[in-house]
Amino acid sequence: MAVSDLPPHGLSHGALRGVKVLDLTRILAGPTTTQLLGDLGADVIKVENPGTGGDDTRQWGTSVARDADLTPYFMAANRNKRSLALDISQPDGQQVIRRLAAQADVLMENFKPGGLARYGLDYHSLRDACPRLVYASISGYGHTGPNREKPGYDLMAQGYGGMMSLTGAPDGAPMKAGVGIADVMCGMYAAVGILSALRHRDLTGEGQQVEVALVDSQIAWLINEGVGYLNTGQLPVRRGNEHPSIMPYGNYQTSDGHVILAVGNDSQFRRFMRFLALEGLADDPRFATNPARLDNRQALTDILIPALRRHSTQTVITAMEAAKVPVGPVQTLDQVFASDQVGARDLVVTMESNGTPLRLLGNPLKFSRTPVTYRRPPPTCGAHSDEILATDHPFAED
């Protein structure tokens, strides 16, 4: 899918058209939030420190574009924004932020708790002058608690919040997820909080602060494992790709690779056993029900491993799809992005930046009336400074 960059303020679509966002975030959690708001139509001005070269992620990796500061890490979370290079440690920079905040609907920041207070740009300093402002704050551990002063990164959140203790092979070391999922999920929670606060503001005229922490959000999505521990006191164990409550469920080796199987009920298990020519196991008291299969997990695994290794990945997938047993491949990224499904769902978009085509991940949200739009490619640091500073009203009007 190819998209063109619209002229400045070209907000032609989007459920958040007319929403003005002042973005003081960097790295991943905050930029994920503001990119999502931008995709939905908001006008986002991203403030970057010119003294450090802008957002930290501009230096995280090698540029894939003509512009040296457009790394994949930065590009992944910063489209649909304009970049303003501004030193907020200086009085002139602080005055610009106050002027923009007075016009904005949302200000988002991810400084350490109290970090903006020294510049008079924290929520309490701006609240009286901007009573309708939704002020969103992301930090590592939150603005209260004994760890409030500690910095927060995705890896630390996954470790402190317990996710790493659940991830990895049973006999291996604790393992983080392959991407910064704690950052991304924190950004998603922040987006929900901002939209909720905007709804309240539109009903009452009253702004407020929305505060979310990396560790808080990571603990919140421990879901069944967290709730299970809280109610039983039993620590869950790492099971690799297996499921704690469903069996068989996991990644299994075939004759030429791997296949994912998720056998969710007893009738699916019976059809699975028929494919493997092991029909008798469906009536074996050790395996006839899911609770029995969980109690005899290792015995069943010892049977399944050699049985599945006799078949190719595609043979298993074809047979299980015909039998209506949930199944799928383990794809590498080249296979993912070459798939017809990715094309059909517009999960790759191309935007042009200074003559260079940039391929980006598409937004997964689909709307029947207010579609996601891709209006601006990820900007170079300070690319829109002159445009923004040249007018008293730089935000797009509804």
Side-chain angles (χ1 to χ4, degrees):
M1 176 181 178
V3 290
S4 300
D5 188 20
L6 296 179
H9 306 334
L11 300 176
S12 59
H13 297 285
L16 297 185
R17 178 182 178 183
V19 172
K20 306 170 181 65
V21 179
L22 181 57
D23 180 7
L24 274 62
T25 69
R26 59 205 182 280
I27 306 182
L28 186 56
T32 293
T33 307
T34 51
Q35 175 172 275
L36 177 55
L37 300 178
D39 284 358
L40 297 177
D43 185 20
V44 182
I45 294 177
K46 179 181 178 74
V47 178
E48 303 188 70
N49 185 350
T52 61
D55 191 310
D56 302 45
T57 60
R58 290 187 182 277
Q59 284 78 48
W60 287 11
T62 302
S63 173
V64 296
R66 181 176 302 170
D67 302 300
D69 63 357
L70 294 184
T71 62
Y73 216 118
F74 178 83
M75 288 160 53
N78 287 286
R79 67 169 167 248
N80 283 334
K81 303 178 185 180
R82 291 180 288 156
S83 175
L84 168 61
L86 191 70
D87 186 352
I88 65 171
S89 69
Q90 299 302 311
D92 288 350
Q94 295 160 21
Q95 187 56 38
V96 170
I97 296 298
R98 292 189 188 96
R99 177 168 63 84
L100 292 173
Q103 300 177 39
D105 298 291
V106 178
L107 184 154
M108 185 161 197
E109 58 89 12
N110 63 348
F111 285 73
K112 291 180 183 178
L116 287 176
R118 56 183 163 168
Y119 305 135
L121 301 177
D122 58 312
Y123 171 65
H124 294 289
S125 298
L126 295 178
R127 180 177 55 188
D128 290 342
C130 310
R132 292 174 55 83
L133 183 68
V134 172
Y135 190 109
S137 301
I138 285 180
S139 60
Y141 292 86
H143 286 208
T144 57
N147 292 340
R148 67 183 298 270
E149 300 294 338
K150 293 184 178 181
Y153 281 83
D154 179 272
L155 179 61
M156 296 167 201
Q158 290 195 42
Y160 191 93
M163 186 56 60
M164 286 178 65
S165 75
L166 306 176
T167 307
D171 57 352
M175 188 70 63
K176 76 173 184 70
V179 296
I181 188 63
D183 272 328
V184 172
M185 283 302 300
C186 183
M188 296 297 178
Y189 277 110
V192 173
I194 288 169
L195 295 177
S196 300
L198 284 174
R199 170 68 171 163
H200 173 79
R201 192 280 309 274
D202 290 346
L203 291 173
T204 67
E206 178 184 52
Q208 63 181 300
Q209 185 174 26
V210 177
E211 194 244 311
V212 62
L214 286 178
V215 170
D216 292 1
S217 59
Q218 198 268 261
I219 291 173
W221 55 266
L222 288 173
I223 53 172
N224 58 298
E225 295 286 30
V227 172
Y229 168 73
L230 290 173
N231 287 277
T232 67
Q234 296 179 359
L235 285 172
V237 299
R238 288 194 299 280
R239 296 192 181 279
N241 292 308
E242 292 188 355
H243 197 286
S245 305
I246 305 172
M247 180 66 189
Y249 182 111
N251 175 30
Y252 296 91
Q253 190 170 354
T254 62
S255 64
D256 61 351
H258 293 84
V259 67
I260 293 171
L261 286 158
V263 183
N265 57 51
D266 298 338
S267 62
Q268 290 177 1
F269 181 71
R270 183 173 294 276
R271 297 195 296 273
F272 179 37
M273 292 300 98
R274 188 178 303 129
F275 162 71
L276 294 178
L278 296 171
E279 292 95 329
L281 291 186
D283 297 314
D284 187 320
R286 297 175 300 165
F287 310 127
T289 66
N290 186 65
R293 293 192 290 275
L294 290 173
D295 289 341
N296 296 280
R297 182 191 294 269
Q298 190 58 53
L300 181 55
T301 298
D302 291 343
I303 296 170
L304 294 180
I305 287 176
L308 283 165
R309 282 179 177 170
R310 291 196 292 267
H311 302 277
S312 70
T313 297
Q314 192 55 54
T315 297
V316 177
I317 290 175
T318 300
M320 292 300 92
E321 286 181 343
K324 308 232 181 288
V325 174
V327 66
V330 179
Q331 297 194 126
T332 53
L333 295 193
D334 56 333
Q335 295 170 318
V336 170
F337 291 117
S339 70
D340 293 340
Q341 184 68 21
V342 164
R345 299 293 290 172
D346 291 331
L347 293 175
V348 175
V349 297
T350 301
M351 307 186 78
E352 186 175 295
S353 175
N354 292 333
T356 301
L358 307 178
R359 299 186 74 207
L360 306 173
L361 301 177
N363 191 304
L365 290 169
K366 311 297 179 189
F367 295 86
S368 63
R369 297 291 293 168
T370 55
V372 165
T373 58
Y374 306 100
R375 306 176 308 280
R376 298 180 181 277
T380 56
C381 184
H384 303 93
S385 295
D386 291 343
E387 169 190 319
I388 293 168
L389 296 176
T391 175
D392 290 334
H393 301 282
F395 284 108
E397 296 300 323
D398 189 2

